[in-house]
């Protein structure tokens, strides 16, 4: 989940509070899967703070700087603006509008929640300087058509791995699903020492029918051909699913 904050107002004495700032409203889950057959999905929010907050929600297609109303998507969120009391929750409905989307693969959108705290009337009346933070949480929403030929639980096993010049790993995704990688290691067997790993991910998600090339950090000597790649992906529930594959000789 990506989180950003926006500040407004004037601040001098409150600067020391910035490190402790955090969002009170949380989204139940780290991703949303919109199944085409369901026509709509529900997103649960909860205010874990001690103050009521105003929340605005919208979707975008990948630009983290987009604001409400700037990007047209084939979905409607209702209600788009809500007030959530402290300790309470609220359900939002995401409905599909009758506009075409690809039916042979998933389509990626981003679900945004902007949390705006109430104005501290008492401090304002006293003439105090202050800063208010408006937090935005942003998670992925996958539109998943029917009849994709395989389940999401099968897709991660279809990834294809090959090492290029013993320095880079090419990951090919022949499936109709977006797959997000978490950890990648190379070993001769499950309990043997790590030969190499991917430590820096310029990108973790590989799109349907696309590929990633990732840098490999060597841990030991020896060629990686014939070794196994042990990898973990993020599943529909935000947890990890692990698998292993034997690398071929296309080094």
């Amino acid at each position: 989940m990506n989180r950003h904050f926006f500040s407004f107002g004037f601040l001098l004495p409150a600067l020391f509070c910035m490190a402790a700032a955090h969002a009170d409203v949380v989204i139940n889950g780290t991703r949303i899967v919109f199944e085409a057959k369901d026509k709509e999905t529900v997103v649960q929010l909860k205010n874990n703070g001690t103050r009521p907050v105003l929340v605005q929600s919208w979707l975008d297609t990948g630009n983290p700087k987009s604001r409400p109303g700037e990007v047209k998507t084939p979905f409607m969120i209702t209600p788009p603006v809500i007030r959530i009391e402290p300790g309470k929750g609220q359900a939002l409905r995401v409905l599909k509008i009758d506009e075409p989307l690809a039916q042979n693969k998933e389509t990626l959108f981003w679900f945004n929640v902007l949390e705006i705290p109430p104005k501290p009337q008492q401090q304002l009346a006293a003439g105090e300087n202050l800063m208010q933070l408006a937090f935005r949480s942003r998670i992925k929403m996958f539109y998943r058509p029917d009849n994709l030929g395989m389940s999401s639980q099968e897709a991660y096993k279809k990834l294809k791995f090959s090492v290029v010049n013993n320095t880079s790993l090419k990951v090919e995704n022949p499936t109709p699903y977006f797959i997000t990688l978490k950890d990648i290691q190379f070993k001769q067997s499950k309990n043997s020492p790590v030969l190499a790993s991917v430590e820096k991910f310029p990108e973790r998600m590989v799109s349907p029918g696309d590929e990633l090339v990732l840098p490999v950090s060597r841990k030991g000597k020896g060629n990686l051909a014939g070794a196994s790649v042990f990898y973990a992906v993020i599943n529909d529930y935000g947890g990890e699913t692990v698998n292993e594959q034997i690398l071929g000789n296309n080094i």
Side-chain angles (χ1 to χ4, degrees), residues 34 39-41 57-59 73-80 92-97 111 141:
F34 191 112
K39 308 301 180 183
E40 67 173 69
T41 191
S57 303
W58 72 97
L59 290 166
T73 68
F75 298 92
M76 178 175 64
I77 300 175
T78 180
L92 301 179
R93 295 170 64 207
V94 184
L95 299 92
K96 174 74 167 62
I97 301 171
F111 184 87
M141 187 182 90

Side-chain angles (χ1 to χ4, degrees), residues 31-41 74-75 94 96 101-109 140-156 173 175-180 205 208 233-238:
R31 59 199 53 229
I32 302 166
V33 177
F34 191 112
E35 300 278 359
K37 64 182 184 336
D38 295 334
K39 308 301 180 183
E40 67 173 69
T41 191
F75 298 92
V94 184
K96 174 74 167 62
L101 284 172
Q103 294 302 303
N104 63 343
K105 62 181 180 179
E106 289 185 324
T107 303
L108 173 65
F109 298 90
K140 297 170 185 175
M141 187 182 90
F142 303 101
Y143 174 77
R144 181 171 296 169
D146 302 330
N147 305 316
L148 288 180
M150 68 180 74
S151 69
S152 61
Q153 289 81 14
E154 298 172 307
Y156 74 98
N173 179 11
T175 81
Y177 294 89
F178 287 88
I179 300 178
T180 301
M205 184 173 65
V233 302
I234 305 298
N235 59 36
D236 286 350
Y237 308 101

Side-chain angles (χ1 to χ4, degrees), residues 19 27 30 47 134 139 173 176 205 248:
I27 307 171
T30 60
N47 180 4
I139 65 173
N173 179 11
M205 184 173 65

Side-chain angles (χ1 to χ4, degrees), residues 37-110:
K37 64 182 184 336
D38 295 334
K39 308 301 180 183
E40 67 173 69
T41 191
V42 175
V43 181
Q44 296 285 347
L45 307 181
K46 186 176 181 182
N47 180 4
N48 289 329
T50 58
R51 303 174 298 174
V53 293
L54 193 67
V55 174
Q56 185 173 19
S57 303
W58 72 97
L59 290 166
D60 70 68
T61 53
N63 181 4
K65 296 182 180 179
S66 65
R67 296 182 177 273
E70 289 184 348
V71 179
K72 183 180 179 182
T73 68
F75 298 92
M76 178 175 64
I77 300 175
T78 180
V81 180
I82 55 174
R83 174 187 167 103
I84 308 180
E85 299 298 326
K88 301 295 184 180
Q90 174 72 47
L92 301 179
R93 295 170 64 207
V94 184
L95 299 92
K96 174 74 167 62
I97 301 171
D98 191 18
E99 294 184 20
L101 284 172
Q103 294 302 303
N104 63 343
K105 62 181 180 179
E106 289 185 324
T107 303
L108 173 65
F109 298 90
W110 290 82

Side-chain angles (χ1 to χ4, degrees), residues 162-170 186 196-198 213-218 224 251:
S162 56
V163 178
V164 181
N165 298 326
N166 268 323
T167 59
S168 299
L169 176 68
K170 182 166 73 171
F186 302 86
S197 65
V198 176
V213 177
L214 303 170
V216 172
S217 298
R218 297 302 300 263
L224 297 179
I251 306 298

